């Protein structure tokens, strides 16, 4: 039996999320479900799918590991397209201040926030960050995530930014999860550059970005475009440069103040613009027009007690919406996919179908990988999850609880919820 040869058959619902590009607007409701479905994976790649009796009948099952998914739902692995999972130190104290009423920006302006995690990350060794990263990735895997994006941005100096990216590179090679790396050197203004933000952008452009590009340490360049952080003009300057150098771009846009980040994302042809709590109608329509994926992070709005992004308006106006956790030590310390599904469906009025599209094929599109992952389609990676209930409708219904039973990555089973230690 070759490695990565698997058959999953008799699935009550095979939710394919079929497609090779982002789904915009109404298309987000189409999950392309096959009842009594089966999928065949060979050497890690999806080879066939369809009704069980049609595709499994003529196959010699001895050449495969075979899973019976009767009464279960089979879906593509989730793609968490926005996280900051490599960091040292925690900010539980700040969280308790926020529960007492301090705002995220108040804490940041007092020298807490991102800068606090910068200290923790600078102080952590590469080995420590790899160890922490492994635990976090294991937890993501248990939620059915098979590809995750990770950002630097808790360094803000040359060494620590590079260290974070190297940690992700190493984790990508040792952990089953695939990691897509983003350089977010412009995540906050370090103390020594306060009032000299333009100089800091120069430093990033001249000293760090070329090395990141040269050593292929990141595929995307991102920036926190926000009042009191980096302006639209500074964001335009850095992202244009990154694009010129052949990197793809993302932007933390219009999260707290409506600065025009959505408009800038459309202007520059970003792959995604993320957060968008305050994005204008014009900005969102421009994004729909230029096919910039709108990545919404409801865990962050929830954790910061902010109004949720206007998902309904975005989808109704033709945007491709992705959902992601934004897992980070400050504004959203959770990697919980069930929480994101609950918030999206119960609080943002997204349909269950839209939420699933947003976490699969549109998540893949937010990483420019819709042709490789994000759906169960012939030729894509064999990244497939078996959920323990007979319909995808159980995902939002089973509030806050993971329905994931088995995770298959590149045709190999890497997580099984039922493997619990026996009583001695
Ligand atoms: O996406 N908005 C900026 N960056 C992160 C927060 C990072 C932090 O607070 O440590 C975010 O929410
Ligand atoms: Fe973020």
């Amino acid at each position: 039996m070759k490695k990565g040869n698997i058959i999953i058959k008799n699935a009550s619902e095979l939710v394919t999320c079929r497609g090779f590009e982002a789904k915009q607007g109404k298309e987000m409701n189409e999950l392309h479900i096959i009842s009594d479905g089966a999928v065949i994976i060979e050497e890690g790649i999806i080879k066939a799918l369809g009704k069980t009796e049609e595709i499994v009948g003529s196959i010699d099952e001895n050449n495969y590991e075979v899973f019976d998914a009767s009464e279960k739902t089979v879906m593509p692995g989730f793609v968490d397209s926005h996280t900051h999972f490599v960091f040292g130190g925690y900010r539980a104290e700040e969280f308790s201040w926020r529960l007492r009423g301090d705002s995220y920006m108040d804490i940041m302006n007092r020298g807490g926030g991102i800068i606090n995690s910068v200290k923790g990350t600078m102080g952590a060794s590469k080995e420590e960050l790899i160890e922490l990263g492994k635990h976090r990735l294991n937890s993501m895997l248990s939620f059915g995530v098979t590809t995750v994006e990770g950002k630097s941005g808790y360094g803000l100096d040359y060494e620590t930014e590079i260290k974070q990216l190297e940690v992700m590179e190493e984790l990508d090679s040792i952990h089953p999860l695939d990691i897509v790396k983003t350089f977010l050197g412009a995540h906050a203004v370090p103390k020594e550059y306060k009032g000299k933000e333009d100089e800091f952008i120069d430093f990033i452009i001249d000293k760090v970005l070329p090395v990141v590009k040269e050593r292929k340490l990141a595929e995307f360049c991102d920036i926190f475009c926000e009042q009191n952080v980096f302006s639209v003009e500074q964001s335009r300057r850095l992202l244009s440069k990154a694009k010129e150098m052949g990197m793809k771009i993302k932007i933390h846009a219009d999260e707290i103040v409506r600065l025009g980040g959505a408009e800038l994302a459309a202007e520059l042809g970003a792959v995604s613009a993320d957060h968008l709590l305050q994005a204008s109608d014009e900005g969102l329509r421009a994004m729909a027009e230029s096919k910039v994926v709108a990545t919404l992070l409801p865990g962050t709005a929830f954790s910061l007690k902010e109004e949720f992004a206007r998902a309904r308006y975005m989808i109704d106006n033709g945007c491709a919406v992705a959902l992601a956790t934004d897992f980070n030590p400050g504004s959203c310390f959770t990697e919980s996919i069930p929480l994101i599904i609950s918030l999206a469906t119960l609080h943002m009025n997204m349909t269950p179908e839209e939420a699933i599209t947003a976490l699969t094929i549109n998540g893949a599109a937010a990483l420019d990988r819709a042709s490789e992952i994000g759906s169960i389609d012939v030729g894509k990676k064999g990244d497939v999850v078996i959920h323990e209930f007979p319909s995808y409708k159980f995902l939002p219904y089973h509030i806050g609880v993971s329905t994931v039973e088995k995770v298959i990555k590149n045709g190999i089973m890497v997580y099984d919820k039922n493997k619990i230690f026996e009583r001695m």
Side-chain angles (χ1 to χ4, degrees):
M1 192 196 304
K2 291 217 174 91
K3 213 171 150 199
N5 277 14
I6 280 194
I7 294 176
I8 303 166
K9 62 180 187 180
N10 303 323
S12 161
E13 289 181 355
L14 177 68
V15 179
T16 66
C17 301
R18 188 174 80 203
F20 292 85
E21 57 183 9
K23 298 203 170 136
Q24 295 185 268
K26 286 196 178 64
E27 295 165 0
M28 287 186 66
N29 268 309
E30 291 157 19
L31 294 180
H32 301 282
I33 297 170
I34 300 171
S35 59
D36 192 14
V39 53
I40 301 176
I41 302 172
E42 283 178 9
E43 294 180 58
I45 302 291
I46 298 170
K47 276 283 159 349
L49 57 130
K51 289 259 183 211
T52 301
E53 76 264 18
E54 283 164 22
I55 69 153
V56 176
S58 58
I59 293 259
D60 179 2
E61 293 192 1
N62 291 320
N63 295 327
Y64 301 84
E65 199 173 349
V66 180
F67 291 99
D68 181 66
S70 301
E71 298 300 309
K72 296 184 178 170
T73 304
V74 174
M75 289 181 34
F78 292 125
V79 179
D80 192 350
S81 64
H82 181 142
T83 84
H84 310 245
F85 78 92
V86 177
F87 56 85
Y90 291 96
R91 284 152 50 199
E93 187 64 31
E94 287 182 12
F95 189 79
S96 73
W97 295 342
R98 283 205 285 108
L99 294 180
R100 289 200 297 263
D102 291 359
S103 79
Y104 179 74
M105 278 317 209
D106 286 345
I107 294 170
M108 178 154 173
N109 293 333
R110 291 208 301 262
I114 293 169
I115 297 294
N116 193 349
S117 292
V118 168
K119 282 187 208 136
T121 308
M122 275 181 180
S125 69
K126 226 163 127 175
E127 292 64 38
E128 283 166 340
L129 292 175
I130 289 170
E131 219 29 58
L132 286 164
K134 268 194 225 163
H135 281 93
R136 292 168 189 162
L137 293 173
N138 287 347
S139 176
M140 290 171 184
L141 197 65
S142 76
F143 289 120
V145 174
T146 46
T147 301
V148 66
E149 183 257 18
K151 302 174 195 291
S152 68
Y154 293 122
L156 313 179
D157 66 358
Y158 178 86
E159 287 75 23
T160 318
E161 284 295 312
I162 299 288
K163 176 170 75 177
Q164 272 192 282
L165 294 170
E166 286 173 345
V167 165
M168 284 189 260
E169 188 175 52
E170 172 73 12
L171 285 168
D172 187 38
S173 72
I174 59 178
H175 196 279
L177 258 168
D178 279 329
I179 300 170
V180 177
K181 305 188 290 302
T182 296
F183 172 54
L184 177 60
H187 191 197
V189 185
K191 226 180 25 254
E192 59 278 22
Y193 281 98
K194 275 270 175 285
K196 299 188 285 186
E197 287 76 12
D198 277 313
E199 281 176 39
F200 182 65
I201 295 290
D202 290 340
F203 160 74
I204 295 285
I205 290 178
D206 298 336
K207 300 282 190 277
V208 199
L209 196 55
V211 179
V212 170
K213 167 71 190 161
E214 171 68 27
R215 290 184 50 198
K216 295 195 174 67
L217 282 171
E219 178 175 334
F220 287 90
C221 182
D222 193 347
I223 186 167
F224 190 13
C225 176
E226 187 58 61
Q227 194 168 67
N228 294 326
V229 192
F230 298 106
S231 67
V232 169
E233 195 36 52
Q234 287 156 348
S235 305
R236 182 183 286 112
R237 199 151 68 79
L238 172 63
L239 296 179
S240 308
K241 191 74 203 168
K243 206 177 153 186
E244 224 177 273
M245 292 167 67
M247 293 181 75
K248 297 167 197 169
I249 57 179
K250 290 181 165 286
I251 176 168
H252 280 66
D254 299 318
E255 178 182 357
I256 296 157
V257 176
R258 179 177 297 180
L259 284 192
E263 285 85 344
L264 181 66
E267 175 195 319
L268 297 177
V271 176
S272 74
D274 304 33
H275 285 290
L276 301 167
L277 303 187
Q278 310 295 337
S280 72
D281 293 359
E282 301 70 39
L284 293 172
R285 281 200 231 106
M287 279 176 51
E289 190 95 334
S290 359
K291 302 196 178 215
V292 178
V293 176
T295 301
L296 307 186
L297 310 164
T300 312
F302 181 61
S303 165
L304 297 178
K305 298 205 262 183
E306 299 283 351
E307 296 266 328
F308 293 96
R310 296 183 294 150
R312 252 324 355 120
Y313 180 90
M314 296 179 199
I315 297 172
D316 294 343
N317 283 276
C319 278
V321 166
L323 287 164
T325 61
D326 196 18
F327 175 68
N328 74 70
S331 64
C332 190
F333 186 48
T334 183
E335 67 278 35
S336 168
I337 298 291
L339 174 67
I340 302 306
I341 293 175
S342 290
L343 294 174
T345 51
L346 288 166
H347 286 280
M348 296 163 90
N349 297 320
M350 288 174 74
T351 64
E353 295 78 14
E354 288 167 344
I356 286 168
T357 298
L359 280 162
T360 54
I361 186 67
N362 281 8
L367 299 179
D368 196 28
R369 272 173 172 63
S371 60
E372 291 164 50
I373 53 170
S375 69
I376 300 181
D377 271 303
V378 171
K380 287 199 178 186
K381 286 193 181 199
D383 295 355
V384 173
V385 175
I386 303 176
H387 292 264
E388 61 195 351
F389 291 102
S391 169
Y392 72 90
K393 291 193 176 125
F394 280 75
L395 272 69
Y397 169 52
H398 202 25
I399 296 172
V401 180
S402 179
T403 54
V404 172
E405 185 179 296
K406 289 184 176 61
V407 180
I408 287 134
K409 177 78 184 116
N410 297 319
I412 296 168
M413 196 177 63
V414 289
Y415 171 81
D416 185 348
K417 186 182 197 169
N418 295 326
K419 291 236 158 90
I420 301 227
F421 294 108
E422 301 280 319
R423 195 161 155 183
M424 303 297 273

